[in-house]
Amino acid sequence: ARETTIMKWCQLWNEDTRGRWTHTIIGDLRRWLARKHGEVNGYLCQVQSGYGVFRAYLKKRNLSDAAGCIHCHEEDTVEHAVFKCGWSKGRRKELAERGVLIVPGTIVEEMIRSEYVWRAFAAYVKWVIEEKDV
């Protein structure tokens, strides 16, 4: 029964047009479900869903007057804040030098392969989100 449920879930996961950001981040649902390490915390959940402290999301829900990033004024989406903002570029470069490449389509695959990458990315995401709350 579990395998049938996962098979149906994977089919819906790949066909549904909603939740594309989450699909982009997680990619292969079977690999995600079979991972051997890594707990999802509130920070990682915000990155995976795109919901949370990102001002574009908050503005869409009438919880903020502006959608711009507090650091650079670009539209503050999860993709911008975590993967593209010039403000956090130095931190991403430091991580890249330590073998942690922060790219939307591959980061979760790398996290699944390496507990080190999981911890490094989780710490980076926590830092980004906490700095946004300042």
Side-chain angles (χ1 to χ4, degrees), residues 53-101:
V53 299
F54 311 103
R55 292 180 83 193
Y57 169 78
L58 295 173
K59 182 163 179 23
K60 188 185 278 189
R61 289 180 177 54
N62 296 317
L63 298 170
S64 175
D65 293 335
C69 174
I70 61 171
H71 301 290
C72 70
H73 309 295
E74 294 286 326
E75 184 181 29
D76 186 33
T77 63
V78 62
E79 185 173 17
H80 167 78
V82 175
F83 299 96
K84 295 182 176 180
C85 186
W87 163 79
S88 57
K89 184 178 182 179
R91 193 74 170 254
R92 290 191 307 271
K93 183 179 177 198
E94 288 173 17
L95 287 167
E97 290 168 356
R98 295 188 344 232
V100 181
L101 300 176

Side-chain angles (χ1 to χ4, degrees), residues 18-32:
R18 298 167 293 171
R20 292 294 84 189
W21 174 254
T22 303
H23 190 281
T24 297
I25 289 293
I26 292 177
D28 185 343
L29 188 56
R30 281 188 183 278
R31 288 204 24 93
W32 175 254

Side-chain angles (χ1 to χ4, degrees), residues 6 10-12 35 70 81 84 89 93 95 99 122 128:
I6 290 173
C10 288
Q11 183 178 357
L12 289 171
R35 73 186 189 279
I70 61 171
K84 295 182 176 180
K89 184 178 182 179
K93 183 179 177 198
L95 287 167
V128 168

